[in-house]
Amino acid sequence: MQLIPCPWCGPREEAEFHYGGQAHVAYPADPSALSDEEWAKFVFFRANPSGPFAERWSHSAGCRRWFNAVRDTRTHDLLAVYRLDEPRPVTP
Amino acid sequence: MTRTPGADLPEHPDFLWDNPDPKRAYDVVVVGGGGHGLATAYYLAKVHGITNVAVLEKGWLAGGNMARNTTIIRSNYLWDESSGIYEHSLKLWEGLEEDLGYPLLFSQRGVLNLAHSLQDVRDSVRRVEANKLNGIDAEWVDTARVKEICPIVNTSPDVRYPVLGATFQPRAGIAKHDYVAWGFARAAAAMGVDLIQNCEVTGIEQRDGRVTAVETSRGRIAAGKVALCAAGHSSVLAKMAGIDLPLVSHPLQALVSELLEPVHPTVVMSNAVHVYVSQAHKGELVMGAGIDSYSGYGQRGSFHIIEEQMAAALELFPVFARAHLLRTWAGIVDVTPDASPIVGLTPVENLFLNCGWGTGGFKATPGVGDCFAHTVAKGKPHPYAEPFTLDRFTTGALVDEHGAAAVAH
């Protein structure tokens, strides 16, 4: 089973975690000012790259804290894990 | 035509079509040599007389999701929009062996969608009524009738999720996925379509908002029109043309048992316990369940998903307890927010999009091939494809089929 390195607990089995989709998607500062197109982008459109991807995970059966990870979607290799308030680290 | 199922293997596929080098230009370039791409090329040639067509496949023909699905064919979706295109597809399936002149082992053995809770029952009855209004054969069957249709289902009332009944679509069934691909490929090639393998598209060339060519691993190929049928890799391709899609690509796993005597006469799906099972002609039990939660292009998923799927299968079919798992694998499914596909025009002129079929694309193969070919040939959506535009995510006209999709996303 794939191990996911929780920034607080260390490597734990994947089944302890919940996936949270793309990271760094900020809620619009002024939602009512958005056009339909902009609102659709916020609600429905997510990056879907083949390669490194910044995403959210929750250690739901462990410390229950959320964190971000950069994972290569082709190999499922976790390239970095970091806190929610940190910027995306540079990965190879 | 009578034959022993599975006994009459067609000739080796090497001899069914040529393996040509790409020409410098085509009227239509179809990207993706899976079921949808091959069917699109077939109907372009057959219905619209457009034969200067290339199907570009980065690997080998029908080696992606076409080789990885669980081959279930049905049309019992909830909404009118879905009923239109899926029932159109099922009707084409019913004549497809004759049409292609090729055996597909299409077997209308029916599908049971089990209900395990009061809410399941209500949703199922609602779907049956909606299906009937759309002329689709659907019926609500009680637990005793479930047992008659499929005697190996555990209908005991003292299990955690008892079977309270099911929807039944008798015209649903399965087909042999490889034969479907080979049938379309052979017929398309015979009409002059070039099927080009080991040819990966690396760029989409445009001039003045109009597509002009594709860059490939085998050189530049000029194209009057480009039709994308790339399933899991649709986001990657569309990005080459500057188009964002509301898709997330996930692994979807499936598995087969060793070959067994015929024990399972139909197709059984359960959303709540969550597994779907049929028995292929050759004898292997074919099973699938939900997608892996994370996105991925690796064509493999996590083992705990298989474990949960097996637990569900045993709950429903105690008789499988001693079957051995032979093989597991994953395909890459492109999932949309409303579990309905995207078929139609794009902001780039002469670039057409067919994607977002997620976990349910196989059953749509002939239907979408026909509708997408029409869309490409005429430059405007086929009526059955019209509801499935990309801009429904902006207008809000979603076609929410999460309930009927039967695969948790």
Side-chain angles (χ1 to χ4, degrees):
Chain A
M1 187 174 284
Q2 167 129 338
L3 295 179
I4 295 177
C6 171
W8 289 279
C9 309
R12 293 295 153 91
E13 289 190 349
E14 174 194 345
E16 293 184 16
F17 295 82
H18 257 82
Y19 186 60
Q22 185 181 355
H24 309 296
V25 180
Y27 192 77
D30 185 4
S32 60
L34 297 189
S35 66
D36 286 354
E37 286 75 18
E38 288 164 332
W39 185 247
K41 288 275 176 202
F42 169 67
V43 175
F44 292 124
F45 287 68
R46 294 292 177 268
N48 187 25
S50 174
F53 181 47
E55 60 193 16
R56 300 179 305 173
W57 286 89
S58 162
H59 192 188
S60 47
C63 65
R64 303 186 63 193
R65 285 197 270 194
W66 284 87
F67 59 94
N68 287 340
V70 178
R71 184 178 56 95
D72 190 320
T73 60
R74 294 163 299 186
T75 58
H76 303 177
D77 284 339
L78 284 143
L79 307 175
V81 291
Y82 56 105
R83 286 165 38 154
L84 291 180
D85 56 356
E86 290 173 336
R88 176 176 172 160
V90 177
T91 49
Chain B
M1 241 194 302
T2 56
R3 49 178 172 266
T4 312
D8 52 347
L9 291 169
E11 66 267 52
H12 192 279
D14 273 352
F15 312 126
L16 295 180
W17 55 78
D18 293 329
N19 197 18
D21 288 321
K23 293 192 284 191
R24 295 173 60 90
Y26 290 93
D27 292 341
V28 179
V29 166
V30 178
V31 182
H36 287 202
L38 293 168
T40 301
Y42 169 75
Y43 288 107
L44 275 173
K46 186 193 160 211
V47 178
H48 305 281
I50 301 172
T51 55
N52 186 21
V53 175
V55 178
L56 309 184
E57 167 54 50
K58 73 172 177 174
W60 61 94
L61 280 189
N65 291 352
M66 194 61 176
R68 294 158 195 273
N69 67 85
T70 49
T71 80
I72 298 169
I73 297 163
R74 61 192 175 89
S75 64
N76 54 352
Y77 283 72
L78 176 64
W79 299 107
D80 296 353
E81 294 87 347
S82 317
S83 292
I85 197 160
Y86 287 111
E87 178 61 15
H88 177 57
S89 194
L90 181 50
K91 289 200 173 102
L92 288 175
W93 277 110
E94 287 173 328
L96 200 58
E97 296 196 329
E98 297 296 326
D99 191 25
L100 296 176
Y102 199 77
L104 306 174
L105 300 186
F106 177 56
S107 160
Q108 290 179 289
R109 56 183 63 190
V111 62
L112 288 166
N113 290 78
L114 303 180
H116 299 274
S117 67
L118 186 57
Q119 189 59 46
D120 264 2
V121 172
R122 289 171 177 155
D123 290 344
S124 302
V125 170
R126 179 191 178 200
R127 202 173 307 137
V128 164
E129 299 302 343
N131 289 162
K132 285 180 181 167
L133 288 172
N134 281 316
I136 293 171
D137 60 320
E139 51 187 294
W140 169 254
V141 294
D142 63 13
T143 310
R145 181 88 177 101
V146 168
K147 192 76 179 168
E148 272 173 42
I149 296 167
C150 188
I152 56 171
V153 174
N154 182 9
T155 52
S156 159
D158 60 358
V159 294
R160 176 66 184 84
Y161 300 103
V163 175
L164 302 181
T167 69
F168 185 53
Q169 184 182 21
R171 286 163 61 242
I174 56 172
K176 177 86 178 151
H177 52 95
D178 284 338
Y179 295 6
V180 176
W182 300 344
F184 274 118
R186 171 176 163 274
M191 288 185 285
V193 172
D194 280 359
L195 308 177
I196 299 161
Q197 307 182 70
N198 299 311
C199 183
E200 181 172 2
V201 170
T202 54
I204 296 175
E205 207 177 283
Q206 312 173 35
R207 195 169 304 137
D208 306 326
R210 172 192 294 245
V211 74
T212 51
V214 291
E215 296 291 342
T216 79
S217 55
R218 297 176 69 175
R220 178 182 184 274
I221 301 173
K225 295 176 176 181
V226 174
L228 303 181
C229 291
H233 280 83
S234 295
S235 298
V236 177
L237 270 170
K239 207 152 191 70
M240 294 174 191
I243 299 168
D244 286 329
L245 298 177
L247 299 176
V248 178
S249 297
H250 290 270
L252 174 63
Q253 302 189 71
L255 55 95
V256 291
S257 73
E258 68 210 307
L259 305 187
L260 301 168
E261 292 293 318
V263 290
H264 185 5
T266 182
V267 181
V268 173
M269 314 182 73
S270 166
N271 283 17
V273 179
H274 209 203
V275 70
Y276 38 94
V277 187
S278 68
Q279 187 170 20
H281 292 86
K282 216 163 61 180
E284 64 268 48
L285 298 165
V286 184
M287 300 187 215
I291 58 173
D292 281 63
S293 64
Y294 48 76
S295 64
Y297 286 85
Q299 290 185 325
R300 63 193 171 86
S302 298
F303 192 71
H304 68 270
I305 303 283
I306 299 288
E307 212 175 344
E308 285 157 18
Q309 189 172 328
M310 291 295 83
L314 283 189
E315 163 103 1
L316 286 177
F317 301 98
V319 69
F320 295 169
R322 298 203 178 174
H324 292 120
L325 180 66
L326 191 67
R327 229 155 23 90
T328 79
W329 64 89
I332 311 168
V333 297
D334 44 331
V335 173
T336 56
D338 61 355
S340 285
I342 302 169
V343 183
L345 279 51
T346 70
V348 179
E349 204 181 328
N350 291 338
L351 178 67
F352 300 88
L353 191 59
N354 169 42
C355 63
W357 289 92
T359 59
F362 177 76
K363 68 177 77 65
T365 301
V368 74
D370 184 35
C371 294
F372 194 43
H374 176 106
T375 304
V376 172
K378 310 274 185 203
K380 62 174 195 191
H382 186 283
Y384 286 135
E386 223 161 5
F388 300 105
T389 56
L390 180 54
D391 75 357
R392 74 177 184 272
F393 298 97
T394 305
T395 63
L398 303 183
V399 186
D400 182 2
E401 286 291 359
H402 279 283
V407 176
H409 323 118

